[in-house]
Amino acid sequence: MMWHFGRQLLAVFVLVLAFLLLSLILTSDRSPGLPSISITKEQLRLLQAFAMGEAQENYTRHEQDDPQLLTAKRSEELLAHVRDACKTLDINLPVDSFMMAHMHFDDERKAIYCFVPKVACTSWKRVWMKMTGIVPPDKNISTISRYTVHTRVPLLSTNKERDVKFNTYRKFMFVRHPFDRVLSAFKDKIESEDKASAYNFHKQIGEKIEMKYRGTKAGHGKNVTFSEFIRFISEPGPGSFEQRNEHWLSVHHLCNPCTVQYDFIGKYENLKEDANYVLDWLGARDVIDAFPVSDRPFNARRYDPKYFDQLSYKDKIMFFTKYLADFVAFDYDFV
């Protein structure tokens, strides 16, 4: 501790010295009678860089020593970035029942969670079931079936006091890189067979994609390529019911962060740290020790050549255009 304190004092001393030297240099240039200082501007620049670098190093070290502080700072910066992006892009979507149908609430903790499919929402719903007493305190939430998870947690849209809760409860959500999210959706719903879902993705969506791009349903919706899928969901305009499926619909249309004032936005890329921070923030550690890992991870990464290499330049541009708000607002790189 004393070593860190001494280093900080040294950084401050060097920074002050640098500016004093700069003042003397400027004064000596204007007043020939004053003694000259034998230091070059390059040396002064190096002194300033050293001092500022030392200060930044100590600040970063302090953040690394306190993961909670780092997580809070990340979210604050992301929230500010979202506000700026929404203003720049002039996004102003309405608060409607569809959006509230993607919100769970906890009356005891006065909190609202807006869930985004393919962003650990099944794990969060299991947590919510335990937090709100839907399952017993000693229940192993990893054993709760996916069907139960997605049908038993109350939605804000059906609550009689939804407006009061929406306006007074704390709110949070989690986001994910758009390409990773839709790749996960493709691998889960289109490439594989989701037997836990009551919705037949192959018949209802896969066959429509086949017919649109091949003129046949001979594959029964089970051999749709990633390129065909990306073209299908990236078409301009509002899109059909199938193109607007919640598993790949833009986050802005699900949770509306440009209109709704969220208190915390976490990222899937920092899921463990961000989710456990939220559990502390909600005061839920008495019922949940740690955020659960996924029981069905798809390890979707946009750099996987098996999928990414299928996409043409036009496919990528169409996708980026369709999901522009998510890329920009949540500070994700296109590549």
Side-chain angles (χ1 to χ4, degrees), residues 77-90 258 328-329:
E77 291 176 346
L78 183 55
L79 286 166
H81 186 84
V82 168
R83 288 192 294 270
D84 291 342
C86 290
K87 184 177 180 180
T88 300
L89 297 175
D90 193 23
C258 287
V328 175

Side-chain angles (χ1 to χ4, degrees), residues 159-202:
N159 189 270
K160 293 180 179 179
E161 300 178 347
R162 66 180 189 176
D163 292 335
V164 174
K165 294 176 181 181
F166 177 79
N167 290 322
T168 58
Y169 284 13
R170 295 178 293 172
K171 306 173 191 67
F172 74 95
M173 60 180 288
F174 275 73
V175 298
R176 185 178 186 178
H177 191 288
F179 260 126
D180 291 351
R181 179 175 166 241
V182 300
L183 176 55
S184 178
F186 172 77
K187 294 174 73 173
D188 181 15
K189 307 299 182 184
I190 305 298
E191 186 177 57
S192 305
E193 184 175 0
D194 186 1
K195 296 181 179 180
S197 176
Y199 188 79
N200 189 331
F201 281 86
H202 288 151

Side-chain angles (χ1 to χ4, degrees), residues 117-142:
K118 309 313 299 177
V119 190
C121 77
T122 300
S123 295
W124 266 116
K125 291 184 182 200
R126 286 180 171 139
V127 167
W128 218 254
M129 292 181 76
K130 200 165 187 178
M131 282 173 49
T132 55
I134 296 175
V135 297
D138 59 348
K139 175 72 173 180
N140 180 358
I141 58 177
S142 65

